[in-house]
Amino acid sequence: MNLVRRTAFLLALIMILALGHAFADAIPVASRSNNDSGTVRVRLDSIGKPGVYNVTVTGNYTAGSLNISSGGKVTVTASDGAFTLSYGGSSYNMGSSFYLSRKGDGSAKIAQALQPSNPYPADLRFIYISGNPYIVAHVYIEDYLPGVVGYEMSDSFPLESLKAQAIAARTYAMRAATANSGRAYDVVDTTSDQVYRGTPSGNSNVKSAVSSTKGMTLMYNNAYCQVYYSSSNGGQTESNAHAWGGSALPYYQITDDPFDLKNPNSTAKKGTVYASFASNSAAVRNLISSAAGTSDIATITSVQLTTSKYSAPSKLYTQAIISYVTSGGTSRACTVNLFGGLTSALGIAIGGLKNELHSVEAVSGGFRITARRYGHGVGLSQYGAQQMAKEGYDYLSILGFYFNGASLVKNSFIGTVASGGGDSAGETAVNLPQTAVSTGTTAYVSLSDKDGRLNMRRKASGSSTIVKKIPNGSKIEIISTDAKGWIKTKYDGVTGYVVAQYVSVNAPASAADTGSKTDTAQKLGVGKVSISSGNLNLRASASSDAKVLARIPNGTSVDVYARNGAWMEVYYKGIYGYASADLISLDGSSTASSTVSAAPVQEGTGVVQT
């Protein structure tokens, strides 16, 4: 090769290499001054609902006012809408929601987790959601990611691809935390969102990828990107609008992906349509014969993909044209469907999404059909990122290729401590009163309103059924206390739960020696249902539209506590509710005027919960 040709060859090679990298431009990087919360609330669905959770803590934790020392072992039992915590030989009723919170740094291992040896560096909330018990881990985003990236990828992947994955996972979680602030959790720990199994040991590459990209997220127009990623896109990125409908996001453009296509780890399934028709499987022969309308087929001469599901440049073809020659030498063609047709007959379907990308290659004796794409194909291809990193691309170029048009922004996230507020599910944890009552003693109902009544509930939960309303100043028997702020008590032959902050060891100055005198003063009297026919409806509130809690037969005696306009608040067979005042007659023992209004009730609401 002479000097001129050698020089021309080298220049051409340089241009080819330069062009090969030109389409993978690095993503632009910016920073912003913010102090947003970096806490992500992860519902641990992978644990299932075992009913019993065994937790071992490292570092000091609290549950309400109960202190749990480092190394402590806690057992939490879920039953009938409430949790019971056992620790140090004692059991505590925790209600329908409580927090196991760190006092500083700490972590917890859960024996029922899929990876029980992995610690969760988090505050754990035990909560009933839609009637089912769950654990929701409140974890700082930078502590969360090592437990995601190592399961979504592998520690063996090149570092630059792990960095790209860490940023994608961080963006996904922070966007979810912003969007789901009104409910009890942001994401779940399965492939429905992102796989999270606590923090595994080792994984030095993953931890390096997370720490070196701390705070970095993908953003577009000052908002977190809707980040998606999947195992393999099959050689072409997909539009989010094609995958799920809705508007196309500008940073998800359909682009050929030579990196995914080149990676030998990318999922691909292959099958052959043989030129000799008789050599094909029965499934393939039946498919083609049905499409051709004849079984007189001797030779397959070509297979050509056709009918793209979407406009160019999409390569998601849905049909194939089969050209063949009959036994008499006549050339013809027919069209078969790929999805549910040729792909199924060849056994090369990859998933149930029917979005595989196909290619045809002429080989000796026939035509090889290859199906590629594992997952939705939108956004980052994990195997594509792996291949790019192997070829020397850094994480900025990887993100620039898969999220073209987005920006990479450096954030300052802060860690926060879990609290009982912030969502509509569950209850706020209540500390026990400073002057605590003791088990096996007596105490008194102490309300701010001297005429008020304290709700006694069937279970240690503000949503549990009210079984009694205890007048202010009444003496009650203390059976047990718990760390959530509830007391199990007995009053007037009924056992239930009351909120501890309304109970005192000291009797109010106006309290009687016994509960019965105070109780008589609160009750209007005993009434009798007087109705011409049928039964009297006992409703949840003073409205004819309210839910019917019970039906009271004519002539039945009921305790009447108050009159509220046209309604009376009554007690019947363990249920408090409201009934029409015109259909109840008070007996002569009543000492109160029928115009007395309902006395205020402490602890939430006086309306019967159903």
Side-chain angles (χ1 to χ4, degrees):
M1 183 182 293
N2 60 35
L3 180 60
V4 174
R5 288 183 177 179
R6 185 181 296 111
T7 302
F9 173 78
L10 290 174
L11 289 173
L13 180 61
I14 291 171
M15 291 181 65
I16 291 171
L17 292 174
L19 289 173
H21 283 68
F23 61 86
D25 293 335
I27 193 169
V29 182
S31 62
R32 64 172 182 159
S33 177
N34 66 309
N35 289 302
D36 295 344
S37 170
T39 297
V40 181
R41 300 168 303 161
V42 188
R43 196 175 76 180
L44 306 183
D45 284 10
S46 65
I47 291 178
K49 304 174 184 65
V52 177
Y53 309 89
N54 302 107
V55 182
T56 303
V57 303
T58 299
N60 296 321
Y61 273 72
T62 62
S65 59
L66 179 67
N67 291 315
I68 302 171
S69 300
S70 182
K73 298 181 183 297
V74 171
T75 298
V76 178
T77 304
S79 179
D80 296 329
F83 295 101
T84 300
L85 183 149
S86 299
Y87 171 69
S90 299
S91 295
Y92 306 88
N93 295 304
M94 307 303 289
S96 61
S97 169
F98 77 97
Y99 289 88
L100 195 58
S101 302
R102 295 170 294 174
K103 297 172 68 175
D105 293 334
S107 63
K109 293 181 179 179
I110 305 169
Q112 289 71 28
L114 291 183
Q115 301 292 333
S117 62
N118 288 356
Y120 289 83
D123 301 324
L124 302 181
R125 185 181 191 184
F126 293 80
I127 180 174
Y128 274 81
I129 300 174
S130 300
N132 294 308
Y134 290 96
I135 299 178
V136 178
H138 290 233
V139 56
Y140 178 52
I141 182 65
E142 304 303 331
D143 295 331
Y144 164 71
L145 291 174
V148 173
V149 177
Y151 290 102
E152 288 289 356
M153 273 189 174
S154 167
D155 193 64
S156 64
F157 271 47
L159 181 59
E160 296 303 307
S161 62
L162 289 171
K163 290 179 182 179
Q165 177 67 68
I167 293 169
R170 184 183 292 109
T171 307
Y172 184 98
M174 295 313 301
R175 183 179 182 278
T178 302
N180 298 319
S181 60
R183 69 182 189 185
Y185 64 97
D186 303 318
V187 294
V188 299
D189 66 342
T190 68
T191 53
S192 295
D193 284 309
Q194 299 185 131
V195 175
Y196 175 60
R197 299 287 182 267
T199 306
S201 60
N203 279 7
S204 58
N205 287 332
V206 167
K207 292 173 182 177
S208 176
V210 172
S211 63
S212 62
T213 62
K214 182 178 180 179
M216 293 184 183
T217 60
L218 293 162
M219 304 194 76
Y220 186 83
N221 283 347
N222 296 318
Y224 296 117
C225 289
Q226 296 184 36
V227 166
Y228 302 106
Y229 53 87
S230 60
S231 176
S232 167
N233 60 34
Q236 187 178 70
T237 60
E238 186 58 277
S239 164
N240 67 288
H242 291 170
W244 303 292
S247 301
L249 295 169
Y251 41 85
Y252 288 135
Q253 302 165 17
I254 297 177
T255 305
D256 287 344
D257 184 354
F259 307 106
D260 185 290
L261 198 63
K262 189 186 304 183
N263 193 332
N265 296 317
S266 296
T267 303
K269 287 190 175 183
K270 301 179 180 182
T272 300
V273 176
Y274 295 101
S276 172
F277 187 69
S279 298
N280 288 287
S281 67
V284 172
R285 294 197 309 270
N286 292 337
L287 175 71
I288 296 175
S289 294
S290 177
T294 180
S295 59
D296 181 18
I297 302 174
T299 307
I300 304 296
T301 57
S302 74
V303 178
Q304 181 181 355
L305 300 177
T306 186
T307 317
S308 177
K309 187 174 182 179
Y310 307 109
S311 59
S314 175
K315 296 177 181 178
L316 207 168
Y317 295 106
T318 62
Q319 293 182 317
I321 299 173
I322 309 293
S323 299
Y324 62 92
V325 177
T326 67
S327 58
T330 303
S331 297
R332 293 179 180 171
C334 65
T335 301
V336 298
N337 291 327
L338 290 174
F339 300 109
L342 188 58
T343 298
S344 299
L346 291 172
I348 61 174
I350 295 174
L353 298 177
K354 296 183 178 181
N355 68 341
E356 294 94 333
L357 302 181
H358 297 86
S359 61
V360 179
E361 177 187 5
V363 295
S364 177
F367 305 90
R368 180 179 296 148
I369 316 297
T370 302
R372 294 182 174 88
R373 181 176 281 174
Y374 188 57
H376 48 67
V378 181
L380 177 76
S381 163
Q382 293 168 317
Y383 283 127
Q386 180 189 41
Q387 185 66 29
M388 289 187 73
K390 284 182 177 180
E391 294 185 15
Y393 291 93
D394 63 12
Y395 73 98
L396 297 175
S397 297
I398 295 172
L399 294 174
F401 178 71
Y402 288 108
F403 301 95
N404 188 14
S407 295
L408 186 60
V409 177
K410 173 78 172 180
N411 301 270
S412 298
F413 296 121
I414 58 173
T416 57
V417 178
S419 66
D423 59 69
S424 58
E427 297 186 1
T428 302
V430 179
N431 287 329
L432 293 173
Q434 290 183 351
T435 306
V437 295
S438 302
T439 300
T441 63
T442 57
Y444 297 86
V445 173
S446 179
L447 308 178
S448 58
D449 192 299
K450 66 183 181 65
D451 295 321
R453 285 164 288 154
L454 177 62
N455 287 337
M456 177 192 285
R457 297 187 180 271
R458 180 165 290 133
K459 299 175 183 177
S461 169
S463 61
S464 183
T465 303
I466 298 172
V467 295
K468 198 76 174 175
K469 294 188 178 183
I470 309 175
N472 182 42
S474 297
K475 184 187 293 185
I476 59 177
E477 177 185 346
I478 306 301
I479 299 175
S480 65
T481 62
D482 66 26
K484 177 71 186 291
W486 290 88
I487 293 176
K488 186 176 183 180
T489 184
K490 187 174 182 179
Y491 170 76
D492 196 21
V494 179
T495 299
Y497 295 85
V498 297
V499 173
Q501 70 184 82
Y502 302 117
V503 176
S504 172
V505 294
N506 302 314
S510 58
D513 292 337
T514 65
S516 59
K517 182 177 179 181
T518 309
D519 188 28
T520 303
Q522 286 295 304
K523 191 162 44 180
L524 292 183
V526 177
K528 182 175 288 187
V529 174
S530 178
I531 189 169
S532 58
S533 62
N535 300 317
L536 176 61
N537 288 333
L538 182 65
R539 298 185 179 274
S541 60
S543 169
S544 58
D545 295 326
K547 180 179 179 179
V548 176
L549 304 175
R551 290 181 170 84
I552 310 174
N554 184 43
T556 302
S557 294
V558 295
D559 292 334
V560 179
Y561 280 85
R563 178 161 182 167
N564 185 1
W567 296 86
M568 282 188 175
E569 184 182 358
V570 304
Y571 178 80
Y572 169 70
K573 287 189 174 181
I575 302 175
Y576 285 92
Y578 295 83
S580 174
D582 294 336
L583 301 178
I584 297 177
S585 58
L586 290 171
D587 62 20
S589 64
S590 173
T591 58
S593 166
S594 61
T595 60
V596 174
S597 61
V601 178
Q602 297 290 132
E603 190 267 305
T605 175
V607 178
V608 176
Q609 302 294 317
T610 58

